Amino acid sequence: MSQIKKAVLAYSGGLDTSVILTWLQENYQCEVVTFTADLGQGEELEPARSKALKFGIKPENIFIDDLREEFVRDFVFPMFRANTVYEGEYLLGTSIARPLIAKRLIDIANQTGADAISHGATGKGNDQVRFELGAYALRPDIKIIAPWREWDLLSREKLLTYAEQHGIPIEMKHRQGGSPYSMDANLLHISYEGRHLEDPKAEAEEEMWRWTVSPEAAPDEAEYLDIEYQHGDPVALNGKKMAAHDILAELNRLGGKHGIGRLDLVENRYVGMKSRGCYETPGGTILLKAHRAIESITLDREVAHLKDDLMPRYASLIYNGYWWSPERKALQVLIDHTQQRVNGWVRVKLYKGNVIVSGRDSATDSLFDSTIATFEDDAGAYDQKDAAGFIKLNALRMRIAAKKGTKFA
Amino acid sequence: MSQIKKAVLAYSGGLDTSVILTWLQENYQCEVVTFTADLGQGEELEPARSKALKFGIKPENIFIDDLREEFVRDFVFPMFRANTVYEGEYLLGTSIARPLIAKRLIDIANQTGADAISHGATGKGNDQVRFELGAYALRPDIKIIAPWREWDLLSREKLLTYAEQHGIPIEMKHRQGGSPYSMDANLLHISYEGRHLEDPKAEAEEEMWRWTVSPEAAPDEAEYLDIEYQHGDPVALNGKKMAAHDILAELNRLGGKHGIGRLDLVENRYVGMKSRGCYETPGGTILLKAHRAIESITLDREVAHLKDDLMPRYASLIYNGYWWSPERKALQVLIDHTQQRVNGWVRVKLYKGNVIVSGRDSATDSLFDSTIATFEDDAGAYDQKDAAGFIKLNALRMRIAAKKGTKFA
Amino acid sequence: MSQIKKAVLAYSGGLDTSVILTWLQENYQCEVVTFTADLGQGEELEPARSKALKFGIKPENIFIDDLREEFVRDFVFPMFRANTVYEGEYLLGTSIARPLIAKRLIDIANQTGADAISHGATGKGNDQVRFELGAYALRPDIKIIAPWREWDLLSREKLLTYAEQHGIPIEMKHRQGGSPYSMDANLLHISYEGRHLEDPKAEAEEEMWRWTVSPEAAPDEAEYLDIEYQHGDPVALNGKKMAAHDILAELNRLGGKHGIGRLDLVENRYVGMKSRGCYETPGGTILLKAHRAIESITLDREVAHLKDDLMPRYASLIYNGYWWSPERKALQVLIDHTQQRVNGWVRVKLYKGNVIVSGRDSATDSLFDSTIATFEDDAGAYDQKDAAGFIKLNALRMRIAAKKGTKFA
Amino acid sequence: MSQIKKAVLAYSGGLDTSVILTWLQENYQCEVVTFTADLGQGEELEPARSKALKFGIKPENIFIDDLREEFVRDFVFPMFRANTVYEGEYLLGTSIARPLIAKRLIDIANQTGADAISHGATGKGNDQVRFELGAYALRPDIKIIAPWREWDLLSREKLLTYAEQHGIPIEMKHRQGGSPYSMDANLLHISYEGRHLEDPKAEAEEEMWRWTVSPEAAPDEAEYLDIEYQHGDPVALNGKKMAAHDILAELNRLGGKHGIGRLDLVENRYVGMKSRGCYETPGGTILLKAHRAIESITLDREVAHLKDDLMPRYASLIYNGYWWSPERKALQVLIDHTQQRVNGWVRVKLYKGNVIVSGRDSATDSLFDSTIATFEDDAGAYDQKDAAGFIKLNALRMRIAAKKGTKFA
C-alpha cells in the first residue's frame, strides 16, 4: 500500500462510495477530495455535499459539477457521428461517460494538489479500465486506488457491517437486500446489470425499466418529429434550436413516452467475460436512426463505407476505455472531417418502440439526384450503355480465371 | 449486335419480359429458352409456361423451377451467418437472389447448348451487375443481352406500343399507368423502388406495403417465439423442426402479422447513384436479431469482432454482385468456420414492429459463465487484483507518451 | 462523336501524342491546347513547344509547367507519410503523378475555356482511369477524348503510316521498332512495361534499367546518409535543408549510384488484368525505409497499427485513380494528423542495392524509453508483476471456453 | 505462492533455466520435469539431459524433442502463407516458435500428471505472454510459474551468487559479464536484444551477427535459386523435393552466405513499451519475396487484397501470443483456403543482401494472360471501349457531388 497524501474520489453520495470515502481515510490516512458530477442521471447532488461534510471533508475539497452540456456536446455527439454501436447493438451509454469523469478527476487532482484518485468500480468490470486508462493517459504519475480490488469487503454483508461500524447511514433499501440490479445512469442511458439478470435465459422483469414505458403501454397514436442536423450533430427539434444536452433530454422524454430504446443483451467485457446487461437509451436510439438517415443523402458512398468499416474498431476503443488514446483521436479527426456536409433534416415517426424514418432532405448538401436515379426517361443524364463496360471490366479477372480453368473452390 | 444462336431468358411472364422475349426473337433471330423460378415471390408460375408457348417457345425450352429450398439454404442462411447488413440497414433481399438466378441461367444455357443469356434488368440498377458478374464468373464466354441497355423502348409508352404491335397481351393495370413502384419479391423480402418513391422527403404511402400490416394495425397482444439454431442456422420454431424455406416462410407470416420488417432508406448503388428503396423483410428482421443473440453467448469475443469488422465488406460484395467471386468464397469459409458452435435457442417477443430478445441459451456451447460474471462473491473464480496489472500494461504506452510530454493533439 | 470546341491535350512532344494532336484537329475540328509538364522525368520540354507551334497550336495555347516542387511536396510526400505500397511492393510512382496532371488539365481547361481534355493513355491501363476519374471529380461536365479507345490506329504500323501521311516527324528509333518497353518517368520513378517484359518467366535485360546501376556495378564502399524529418516529411539530407523536390532528386542520385530501388513484379490492374512491370524508384526506396524508422520511435503503437491496417486501402485508392475522391481525402486527414510528432533523424547505410537503417533518434518526440525497456535493473520503472494480471485477463475468454469444453476447431 | 506438485520447465540447459530449475525445487518443493526442444537453434541438446540428471531430475522426467519438422511445417509455413510481417518489417521468428513450445509443455504436463509449467521469460517481454496465453488456451487450469516475475534475482550479480550458492556451474562467459545481447534462435531466425542495443541511435556492431555474413563480405558472384510451391508452401529447391525444415535450413545457408536477412528495428511490444531488436532471418527473407511472387501470378486480385488487409491483424495476433486463439484459427482457415492454387515456381537471384525476383510461372494455375495484357494487337481479347463505361460509372458519384457544388474539402 503506497503512501498517499490526497486522493480525489468519484463520489456519488451513495452507500458504496461513502464506505470508500471512510475506508480511504482509515486505510490511507489521506485527505479526501470528493467529486460529484451531474451527467443527467436525474439525481439530487446536494445531498452528496452534506454527506461529504459529515465525513469530515473540507468544504474546499467538495466538487459538485454540472457536466451535462460538456458531456453531450464533446462526448455523446462526437460518438454518434460515427453511428457507433458495440457488438451490433449496444449504444455505449456507460462507456462514453467514463472519460469525462476521468478527465475531471485529473483536473481536480491537479487543481487541489492531489497525488491519487479513487473510484468505486469493481475489479470485474469495464469501468475501472475506462477510469484508469483515462487517468493514466492524462496524468501518467497519478496513483489510483480501486478499493474493490484491494479490500476484503467483497460481500454485501461485510460492506453493511463496515458501514454500521463506521457510522455510515444505511438506507432501508440496502438493509432489505439492496437493489436487485447494479445501475448506472446519465443523459444517454440507464443500465442494469447483475443479480436478477445473471441468467441470460430469463426475461427481464417489467418493473426493472425506469426510463421508458413498455411498447404496450405507449400511446396508441404515433408522433412525428423533425430533427435538424448541422455538421453531423442535431441542433434543432421540430424547428426549435436547442443546446446539445437539451436536445438529448427532450429526445429521452419523447423516446421514453413511446417505449423506445430498451435493449437486453449479452456483451463481451474487455476483461474477458461475457456479461448480461439491459439498457434504456431512448434518445440515443432515435439519434442513431436519424443520423444514418441524414448521412444517407449527404455522404459519399465510399466515405460512408469507410466509416462503416472503421466503426466497430472505434466502438471497441470507447467500450474498452481508450477515449483519451491517440488512436481514438486519430479516428475522430477522420470522422469529424466527414461530417462537414452532413446538414439537413430527418423526420422520424415514433410509435410503440419503433423509430421509423419517414423523410429526409438537405437543402444545401443532398447528393440524391432524382434526375439520374429515375426509372423514367432521364433525358440523357445517365447513359445505360456505360454499364456494359463497367460490368465487363469488373468481371474481367473472374472471366480470365474461369477461362484458365481455375475453379475458386 | 453479335450473332446469337440460342438465348436463355430470365422470364417472369409479365409484360416487360414478354416484350423482351419477342424483341429477342425479332432482333437476334435466335431461339429463346425461358427460365422462370419460384423463389417464394408468391406468384403463380404456370401462366408463364402458357405464355411462353404462345410466343412460340418449344416445350423443351421452357424451364420452371422451384428454387425455394436451395435459395434459403444455400444463399439466405449463409448470408445471415454473418449478420449481414448493407449500409447499416438493408438486409439484401434482392441482392441475395440474383446469384442463384445467374447460376440457373448458366446451368440451363449449358444444358440446352445456348450461347447467350438475357434479363430484364435496367442499365441503371444493381441487378444487371449481379446477373452478369455471376454469369461471367460461371461461364466466361457467355454472351449477355441486356435489352434495356440496347433498345430504344426506354419509355413506358414505347414499350406498350411495341407490345400492342406484336400482339403481347397488356393487362389493364399497365394501361392505367402501371404499378406506382418497381417491385421485386422472393422469400426474403419484397422491395419497392422508383416513381412515387423518388422523393426522399416524402413518406411512403401506407397502401404500398404488401407483406406486413402497419405496426398500428398489428395485434395488441405480443407473441413469443422460440428459434433453435444449429451451426448458426435456424432449424426449428417453437420446437418444431422445419426445412429452411419453411422456417423463413413461417417467420414471414409471423413478422408480417406483427408489423415487423418495414424499411425506408436511401442507399448507394454500385453504379454510382443514390436510390430510395422501401423493403419488407419480416422474417429476415427477426433472424438478424435472433442470430446476434445466439452468437452473443456462443461466440468468442474476438471472433465476433472479427466478423463484425469483415461484415460491411462481405455485405458490399453481395450487394455489388460478387457472390460468385473468389473473395466472397474466402470470406464465407471463415464465416462458416465460426458457426460450428453457434448452437442453442433464442426467445423473441414480437409486438407491433418490435423484435425483442427475451432469452437465449445453449445447453452445449454457452460461453456465458455466471460464476465469473456475478456481482456476488465468486468463490475465487476471478481474482480482481489481476485487473490492476491488466490496466497498468494497457496504459503503459500512453503513460510513457504523457511522461515524455507528447500530447496527442 | 460529340461536338468539341477546344481540347487540352496532355502533350509530351513525342510521336504518340503528336499523332493524337493532329488526329484531334482532323477528327474533332477543334482548337487544341497543349500541356507539357516537368515532373522531373529528365527530358527537355522546349522541343514540345516548337513542335506544337509547328502543328499550328497558337502560342497562348501552349502550356509548359515546372511542377516538380508541387509534385513532390503535395503528392509524393503525403503518400509516403502512410508508408504506401501497393500489393506489398509497388511504390506507386506512376499512379501518384496522374492526379496532378489531371488537375492541371482541368485548370488549363478552365483558364482557356476548353470543354474537353485528351490524353494518350491506352484503354487497357490504369492511367486512363487515373486521368479521367481525377478530371471528372474536378469538373464533372468535362468531355474526355481518349483516342486509343476511339481510333483504329491500334497497331504500331498504322500509327506510323498515319504520322507519315500527316507530316509528323518520325525519329529513327520508331522506324526501327520503337522502344522495347513502354516507359514512364517522373521524379519518383521510371517504369517499364510491355513488349519484352510480357513473359513473367523471363528476367528483365540489364540494359533496360536507366536510373540505377546494378548492385553488382555499384561502389564497393558503403555510404551513410542522415535524413531529417519534420511532421513526417524529409526536410534535410546530411544536415542540409533542401526543398522537397531537391531532396528526392538527391536521393535518386544516391540510390541510383548504389543500385537501389529496382523492382520486377506482376501487379493487378484496376481494369482487371495482371500486368508485369519493372520499376526504378531509388529515392523512394530509401524514403520508405527511413520513414518507417522515424515512425518506429515517434509513433504510438496503436496509431502505427491503425495506419498499417488502412495503408493497403489507401494504396489501392491511389493506384486506382481516386486521389481526388472524398474517401482518399478523409484518409489523408487521419494520416496527416498522425505525423505531427514524427520528427527526428534516421541514418541509413546505402550499399549495393541495400538500404540499411543503422540509427534513429528524435530529440523532441521519441517514445523509446530505455529505462523501461532495459534488461538491466530498471529501478522500479516497470513492475514485472503487472504482467501476470495482464496475461490472466487476456487469457480469460480462452480459459472459459476451454473449461466449457469448447474446442476451437 | 500456490501449492504445486509437479512442474514442467522449459529448460535450455543454460545458466538461467538451471537457476530456475533449482529455485523451483527449493521454493515450491515440487517435482520438476524438464523439456528441451530442438527447434533448429543449432545447439547440442544432450548436455541439457546430463545437467538435468545432475540436478536430480528423474530420467523419465527429462524430455528432449526434435520439433524442427513440426515447427516449420505447422507453424512457420502457415504463417508465411499470409506474407506475415509485423510492423512492416519483423518476420516474427521468435513469436512463431512460442506456441509450439506452449503446446509441448502442456502435452508433457498432461502426460506426466503435472499441475504447473514454468519458463524463463522475463516480465517485460512478449514471450511470457506467448507461453502463457498458449498454455491457458490449451489447459485452462494449468498453474504457471514465471520466476522472473516472482523472485528477487533481478540483477545478474544476484543470479550468479544464487548459482554459486547452489552449486550450479557457471561458464566463464557469464563471469565475464555474459553475452552483450539477449539472444533467441530457431530455424527461422536468431534475435538480439538488450544491453548493447539499448540505444536506438547506435549501429549494431558487426561482430554481433552470427548467421549471416555482411553484404560486404558476401560473394561477388550472384546465385540463382528456383523455389517450387505447392498450395502456398515451398516444396523443392532447384528441382529437389525436400522436407519443410530441410528447405528452411538450406535457405538459411544460402541466405546467410549472401548476406541476406539482417534487420535492425524498434518494435512495439504487447506489454506496452518500445524495444530495439536485431534479427537475422536469411531463409525467411527469401521466402517472403518468393511467396509474394508466386501469389502475384496465381492469386485473384481481390483475394490478394483481402489477405493484405487482414495481414497486419494476423501478424499482431502471432506477435502478441494468440496463435491458439479462435480468431487466429478463423483467419488461418481463410488464408489456407486461398492457397489451393498457389502452385508454380519462382526464380530468385541472391546477391550481397539482395533477394531479386527474376522469374515466376505456374504451369497449372497462372492467371497472367498475356493475350489480354499485351500492348500489341490483342485480336479482340479486350475491348478498349469498355473502359469508357467503367470509368464513367466509377466517376458518377464524384461527378454528382461536384455538380451539386459539394466540395470534398
Side-chain angles (χ1 to χ4, degrees), chain A residues 87 123-124 200 203 224 264 269 274 299 301 305 327 352 354 360 372 374 378 382 384 397, chain B residues 87 123-124 200 203 224 264 269 274 289 299 301 305 327 352 354 360 372 378 382 384 397:
Chain A
E87 298 190 338
K124 288 186 167 184
E203 189 170 7
Y224 284 81
D264 176 341
R269 287 196 191 146
K274 288 184 183 292
L299 220 56
R301 179 186 72 199
H305 290 194
E327 65 272 25
K352 284 188 177 289
N354 296 276
R360 68 297 261 169
I372 283 186
T374 184
D378 65 5
Y382 177 100
Q384 301 210 19
R397 63 188 168 92
Chain B
E87 298 189 339
K124 288 186 166 183
E203 189 170 9
Y224 283 82
D264 176 341
R269 287 196 192 147
K274 290 184 182 291
K289 270 293 225 184
L299 220 56
R301 179 186 72 199
H305 291 193
E327 65 273 23
K352 283 187 179 291
N354 296 274
R360 67 298 263 169
I372 283 185
D378 66 4
Y382 177 100
Q384 302 208 20
R397 63 188 169 92

Side-chain angles (χ1 to χ4, degrees), chain D residues 4-8 25 29-33 58 60-61:
Chain D
I4 301 288
K5 284 187 306 194
K6 195 188 281 192
V8 185
Q25 291 170 323
Q29 268 104 38
C30 67
E31 194 176 339
V32 174
V33 178
K58 298 181 202 159
E60 68 267 27
N61 278 347

Side-chain angles (χ1 to χ4, degrees), chain D residues 248-274:
Chain D
L248 187 49
E250 175 64 4
L251 290 173
N252 281 337
R253 191 188 66 77
L254 287 165
K257 171 182 164 192
H258 289 286
I260 289 163
R262 291 184 177 186
L263 185 64
D264 176 341
L265 53 71
V266 174
E267 74 198 53
N268 290 292
R269 286 195 192 148
Y270 190 27
V271 292
M273 69 189 68
K274 289 185 181 292

Side-chain angles (χ1 to χ4, degrees), chain A residues 86-89 122-124 128-129 132-133 136-137 140 148-150 154 182 193-195 198 200-203 215-216 222 224 263-266 268-276 289 292 295-301 305 308-309 312-313 316 322 324-327 329 345 349 351-354 356-361 367-368 370-376 378 382 384-385 387-388 390-392 394-395 397-399 402-403 408-409, chain B residues 86-89 122-124 128-129 132-133 136-137 140 148-150 154 182 193-195 198 200-203 215-216 222 224 263-266 268-276 289 292 295-301 305 308-309 312-313 316 322 324-327 329 345 349 351-354 356-361 367-368 370-376 378 382 384-385 387-388 390-392 394-395 397-399 402-403 408-409:
Chain A
Y86 181 67
E87 298 190 338
E89 308 206 275
T122 82
K124 288 186 167 184
Q128 57 174 342
V129 190
E132 299 179 24
L133 288 181
Y136 283 135
W148 285 100
R149 298 199 305 252
E150 290 189 22
L154 287 171
S182 168
E193 287 185 300
R195 307 193 73 181
E198 288 182 5
K201 278 192 302 299
E203 189 170 7
E216 285 91 336
Y224 284 81
L263 185 63
D264 176 341
L265 54 69
V266 174
N268 290 291
R269 287 196 191 146
Y270 190 27
V271 293
M273 69 189 69
K274 288 184 183 292
S275 157
R276 200 262 192 98
K289 270 292 227 184
R292 274 211 173 271
E295 283 196 339
S296 77
I297 53 167
T298 56
L299 220 56
D300 171 80
R301 179 186 72 199
H305 290 194
D308 281 351
D309 288 346
R313 181 179 204 143
S316 285
Y322 289 94
W324 297 111
S325 73
E327 65 272 25
K329 291 178 192 173
W345 60 264
K349 177 181 167 186
Y351 175 70
K352 284 188 177 289
N354 296 276
I356 299 161
V357 174
S358 64
R360 68 297 261 169
D361 196 25
L367 297 172
F368 184 90
S370 62
T371 61
I372 283 186
T374 184
F375 276 68
E376 317 296 313
D378 65 5
Y382 177 100
Q384 301 210 19
K385 288 179 185 58
F390 178 75
I391 297 170
K392 277 270 208 51
N394 278 316
R397 63 188 168 92
M398 297 191 287
R399 293 177 75 195
K403 264 185 208 158
F408 302 114
Chain B
Y86 181 67
E87 298 189 339
E89 308 207 275
T122 82
K124 288 186 166 183
Q128 57 173 344
V129 191
E132 298 180 24
L133 288 181
Y136 283 135
W148 285 99
R149 299 199 304 253
E150 290 189 22
L154 286 172
S182 168
E193 288 185 300
R195 307 192 73 180
E198 288 181 5
K201 277 194 302 298
E203 189 170 9
E216 284 90 338
Y224 283 82
L263 186 63
D264 176 341
L265 53 69
V266 174
N268 289 292
R269 287 196 192 147
Y270 190 28
V271 292
M273 69 188 69
K274 290 184 182 291
S275 156
R276 200 261 192 100
K289 270 293 225 184
R292 275 213 173 268
E295 283 196 339
S296 77
I297 54 166
T298 57
L299 220 56
D300 171 80
R301 179 186 72 199
H305 291 193
D308 281 351
D309 288 346
R313 180 178 204 142
S316 285
Y322 289 94
W324 296 112
S325 74
E327 65 273 23
K329 291 178 192 174
W345 61 263
K349 178 180 167 185
Y351 175 71
K352 283 187 179 291
N354 296 274
I356 300 161
V357 174
S358 64
R360 67 298 263 169
D361 197 24
L367 297 171
F368 184 90
S370 62
T371 61
I372 283 185
T374 184
F375 275 68
E376 316 295 314
D378 66 4
Y382 177 100
Q384 302 208 20
K385 288 179 185 57
F390 177 76
I391 297 169
K392 277 270 208 51
N394 278 317
R397 63 188 169 92
M398 296 190 288
R399 293 177 74 195
K403 265 184 208 161
F408 302 114

